[in-house]
């Protein structure tokens, strides 16, 4: 989850990547959503969070333990978002990793967290999908340069799977074109005929050789196998190079297998959009929600944990699964803060949904987490 300052720092040295496509590209437009006169996309509503904050009482709570607090000096990369503390003191990536990650091609109604925004979604049919798969470092020269400018942009540990283990996947959805969500290298290691579903105009950012591409506008849908896939709004932005601010769309995805729904929020801040989405779909079974990179001025484009709970309430989610923390140190908060803040939000708000915190590489049968009809869900109790 990149914040604006880091894109400026990297993009000072690079030119946006543009590729030539030879495979079929299908475009699904919605005439209700158009670019502005500058050819740019925009969010549907203004953000309720502007400026430096604080935006919520939680912003003034110290969620760190004493041994995790280590002061650092600012530099030209972090000065616009400087917190004065190292973000990874006391953090161990291996503590987030499931002890025995295993991919089961035959699994059904199953979710596997593959780190950051990457999930394997296996439906009740044979359909299987990936969300925002990035299994290595950021692509190409940009990734190489980013790691030398700021070591926060290096992976904290390897992905729990190899792309070779995912050759059975039918389709991939991408939420937006930021480098921690769109990896050309990972995509082109998938099996031939793997379908790629993108927001409008993102085709220009990737040279995808493995299968057909579908570009989609907000509130449009298509199908892959027996699964209906909807592309829905998010509150974010796009940029991949020097001159392409908001030239491509961003959004969220919904998988509907006819029995259950899985909503993947993508990168997003909070806005009215979630009430709009709920009005059209009347709630979701499982919501995969980001909870990082919310400090300082970035609250408008990323969800703080308490904002994510509010968005999930707006969506009438039954199961809440957080993501985004631990793979990279791309937020400005300490890496150990988001989960602690999320647990406090669930305790204080007491939402009518089940909280499931996954480890990287862990697989769960999500139908086991769904409550019986008309029964209030129970929050998962996990010790700090």
């Amino acid at each position: 989850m990149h914040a604006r300052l880091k894109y400026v720092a990297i993009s000072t040295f690079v030119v946006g990547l543009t590729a030539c496509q030879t495979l079929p590209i299908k475009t699904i437009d919605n005439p209700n959503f158009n670019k502005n006169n500058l050819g740019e996309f925009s969010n549907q509503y203004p953000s309720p969070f502007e400026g430096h904050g604080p935006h919520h009482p939680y912003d003034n709570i110290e969620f760190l333990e004493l041994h995790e607090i280590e002061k650092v000096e600012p530099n030209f990369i972090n000065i616009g978002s400087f917190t004065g503390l190292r973000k990874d003191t006391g953090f161990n990536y291996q503590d987030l990793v499931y002890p025995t990650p295993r991919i089961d091609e035959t699994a059904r109604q199953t979710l596997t967290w593959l780190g950051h925004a990457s999930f394997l979604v296996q439906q009740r049919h044979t359909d299987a999908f990936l969300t925002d798969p990035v299994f290595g470092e950021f692509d190409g020269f940009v990734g190489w340069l980013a790691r030398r400018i700021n070591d926060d942009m290096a992976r904290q540990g390897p992905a729990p799977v190899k792309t070779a283990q995912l050759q059975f996947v039918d389709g991939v959805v991408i939420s937006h074109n930021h480098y921690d969500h769109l990896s050309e290298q990972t995509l082109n290691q998938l099996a031939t005929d793997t379908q790629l579903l993108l927001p409008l105009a993102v085709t220009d950012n990737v040279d995808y050789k493995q299968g057909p591409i579908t570009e989609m506008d907000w509130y449009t849908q298509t199908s892959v196998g027996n699964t209906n896939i909807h592309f829905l709004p998010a509150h974010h932005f796009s940029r991949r190079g020097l001159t392409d601010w908001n030239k491509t769309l961003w959004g969220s995805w919904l998988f509907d297998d006819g029995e259950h729904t899985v909503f993947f929020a993508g990168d997003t801040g909070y806005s009215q959009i979630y009430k709009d989405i709920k009005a059209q779909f009347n709630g979701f079974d499982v919501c995969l929600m980001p909870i990082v990179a919310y400090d300082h001025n970035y609250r408008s484009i990323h969800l703080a944990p308490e904002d994510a709970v509010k968005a999930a309430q707006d969506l009438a989610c039954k199961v809440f699964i957080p993501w985004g923390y631990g793979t990279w140190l791309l937020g400005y908060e300490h890496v150990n803060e988001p989960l602690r803040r999320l647990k406090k939000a669930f305790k204080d708000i007491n939402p009518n949904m089940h909280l499931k915190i996954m480890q990287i590489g862990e697989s769960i049968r999500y139908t086991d987490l769904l409550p019986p009809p008309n029964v209030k869900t129970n929050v998962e109790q996990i010790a700090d």
Side-chain angles (χ1 to χ4, degrees):
M1 300 178 109
H2 285 77
R4 296 172 189 269
L5 182 71
K6 293 187 177 181
Y7 275 111
V8 171
I10 296 173
S11 299
T12 301
F13 300 94
V14 299
V15 177
L17 302 180
T18 302
C20 178
Q21 294 293 331
T22 58
L23 291 167
I25 302 171
K26 178 182 178 181
T27 300
I28 306 176
D29 284 307
N30 184 340
N32 295 318
F33 299 101
N34 298 306
K35 297 179 183 178
N36 63 21
N37 292 334
L38 298 176
E40 298 170 343
F41 296 97
S42 61
N43 288 306
Q44 196 170 349
Y45 295 100
S47 170
F49 304 111
E50 296 296 341
H52 190 82
H55 301 290
H56 189 277
Y58 288 4
D59 293 343
N60 294 318
I61 294 176
E62 179 58 79
F63 287 92
L64 301 184
E65 299 175 4
L66 283 177
H67 73 276
E68 297 169 335
I69 299 174
E70 179 182 352
K71 293 183 178 180
V72 295
E73 295 299 320
N75 58 50
F76 82 102
I77 294 297
N78 69 19
I79 194 169
S81 57
F82 184 58
T83 64
L85 299 177
R86 282 188 59 87
K87 295 184 290 185
D88 60 349
T89 300
F91 168 69
N92 180 9
Y93 175 78
Q94 288 303 317
D95 290 342
L96 290 181
V97 178
Y98 192 68
T100 55
R102 188 176 74 90
I103 298 298
D104 180 2
E105 183 176 344
T106 66
R108 300 289 180 266
Q109 299 174 317
T110 297
L111 292 169
T112 305
W113 187 31
L114 303 176
H116 198 54
S118 302
F119 285 86
L120 172 64
V121 183
Q122 294 173 273
Q123 306 287 73
R124 68 185 178 95
H125 305 292
T126 59
D127 305 335
F129 303 94
L130 292 172
T131 68
D132 290 1
V134 181
F135 298 148
E137 302 289 355
F138 297 165
D139 275 339
F141 177 69
V142 170
W144 176 88
L145 182 61
R147 294 190 297 278
R148 279 150 184 82
I149 292 175
N150 186 348
D151 58 10
D152 291 349
M153 295 190 183
R155 290 188 75 104
Q156 296 299 295
V161 297
K162 304 294 185 183
T163 318
Q165 298 172 257
L166 300 168
Q167 299 300 295
F168 61 92
V169 166
D170 300 288
V172 177
V173 300
I174 302 295
S175 63
H176 64 298
N177 69 357
H178 291 167
Y179 283 92
D180 53 324
H181 294 260
L182 174 59
S183 169
E184 182 178 288
Q185 180 182 45
T186 297
L187 291 175
N188 279 311
Q189 293 174 349
L190 295 170
T192 303
D193 296 327
T194 303
Q195 297 194 46
L196 179 60
L197 280 62
L198 302 172
L200 289 180
V202 175
T203 301
D204 291 340
N205 298 141
V206 58
D207 184 13
Y208 183 64
K209 302 179 176 69
Q210 300 305 96
I213 297 173
T214 301
E215 284 192 345
M216 298 174 65
D217 203 346
W218 286 343
Y219 293 113
T220 64
Q221 70 178 82
T222 188
S223 60
V224 175
N226 294 296
T227 302
N228 289 323
I229 301 178
H230 301 255
F231 185 53
L232 302 172
H235 190 99
H236 201 54
F237 73 105
S238 66
R239 189 186 187 192
R240 202 163 170 91
L242 282 171
T243 60
D244 62 342
W245 278 101
N246 296 341
K247 297 294 186 181
T248 67
L249 193 55
W250 53 89
S252 56
W253 294 93
L254 173 64
F255 302 96
D256 183 352
D257 66 5
E259 184 174 310
H260 295 103
T261 51
V262 176
F263 175 81
F264 170 65
D267 268 2
T268 184
Y270 182 80
S271 85
Q272 177 71 27
I273 57 170
Y274 296 107
K275 293 180 180 178
D276 285 5
I277 292 172
K278 195 269 183 180
Q280 294 209 27
F281 291 91
N282 199 33
F284 301 118
D285 291 315
V286 181
C287 291
L288 310 175
M289 306 296 292
I291 60 165
V292 299
Y294 45 81
D295 204 0
H296 294 298
N297 297 316
Y298 308 103
R299 188 67 166 268
S300 64
I301 53 172
H302 293 135
L303 293 171
E306 62 272 20
D307 304 332
V309 175
K310 181 174 175 55
Q313 287 180 300
D314 289 351
L315 293 167
C317 299
K318 297 175 183 175
V319 175
F320 182 114
I321 297 177
W323 56 263
Y325 49 91
T327 304
W328 289 279
L329 304 180
L330 297 176
Y332 298 117
E333 68 282 343
H334 190 284
V335 67
N336 288 337
E337 178 180 307
L339 280 181
R340 295 172 189 172
R341 189 161 169 159
L342 179 67
K343 292 173 186 177
K344 179 171 176 56
F346 261 81
K347 180 179 179 180
D348 292 347
I349 299 170
N350 192 27
N352 185 22
M353 67 185 75
H354 184 95
L355 170 61
K356 173 61 182 177
I357 296 175
M358 298 181 67
Q359 291 181 279
I360 296 173
E362 182 180 4
S363 297
I364 59 165
R365 186 173 172 85
Y366 59 81
T367 51
D368 293 342
L369 304 179
L370 294 172
N374 302 317
V375 174
K376 181 176 174 63
T377 57
N378 293 316
V379 176
E380 180 181 34
Q381 297 299 315
I382 298 180
D384 289 330

